Amino acid sequence: MHIQPLRYSPSVSPQKNVSNAEFAQVNNATQTSTPVSTDTITLSRDAKQLAANAQKTAEMPALRDNIETLVELKHAKMKYQVIADMTNIATGTSQGISAPTAYYLSHNEDARAMTVNHIAQQQQVNTMQIYAETSKNINEWA
């Protein structure tokens, strides 16, 4: 920290018991003092590269295009997942549905109604097959 030296002004005068020469000697000593410590900061090569890259605004449209491409890719992936889940439900090989399919079914009444009806039919077919096997085994024992 560097203290600014006092400047002699008519409104401020030295005390009477200090001579003008002594006051000038103290005043000159404060004027010649310089800060003793200096701080240095060293930036790494990576930090310099990041700072240089941050200043490049020309790359923003390319970044925007990449983000749009990523959004389109995610959208296509979710759409594929919904179609795959609906196909698995239709063929009776469904082990459950994914979050995108649940969202789709929660916002589409017709698809939800068809899915529920199809799953109910699959359960009825499975129940009838189990009943037929059980009846066959009972008839063989009798």
Side-chain angles (χ1 to χ4, degrees):
M1 183 167 99
H2 183 69
I3 300 173
Q4 294 293 326
L6 294 174
R7 300 192 193 271
Y8 183 80
S9 68
S11 62
V12 178
S13 62
Q15 294 180 350
K16 292 185 180 186
N17 59 357
V18 177
S19 70
N20 282 338
E22 291 173 342
F23 180 75
Q25 183 181 10
V26 170
N27 195 14
N28 286 338
T30 58
Q31 286 179 354
T32 59
S33 66
T34 59
V36 178
S37 67
T38 57
D39 294 332
T40 58
I41 297 174
T42 306
L43 295 177
S44 68
R45 184 185 64 195
D46 294 336
K48 290 176 185 177
Q49 287 176 346
L50 285 173
N53 290 339
Q55 295 175 356
K56 294 180 182 177
T57 58
E59 294 179 6
M60 291 306 277
L63 180 63
R64 189 176 309 119
D65 291 342
N66 288 342
I67 291 172
E68 289 172 1
T69 303
L70 179 65
V71 168
E72 290 173 8
L73 179 67
K74 291 282 188 180
H75 185 343
K77 182 180 175 185
M78 301 263 184
K79 205 174 202 181
Y80 171 80
Q81 186 65 47
V82 169
I83 293 169
D85 285 346
M86 296 303 283
T87 303
N88 288 338
I89 289 170
T91 59
T93 59
S94 176
Q95 300 295 323
I97 60 173
S98 64
T101 305
Y103 179 81
Y104 170 75
L105 292 175
S106 71
H107 288 84
N108 191 334
E109 289 290 326
D110 294 335
R112 182 174 46 221
M114 286 188 346
T115 302
V116 168
N117 287 336
H118 188 73
I119 291 174
Q121 287 176 355
Q122 288 289 348
Q123 287 177 342
Q124 288 175 351
V125 168
N126 288 341
T127 303
M128 288 171 45
Q129 287 174 345
I130 292 171
Y131 177 76
E133 283 182 32
T134 305
S135 297
K136 181 181 172 186
N137 289 338
I138 290 174
N139 288 336
E140 289 177 358
W141 282 62

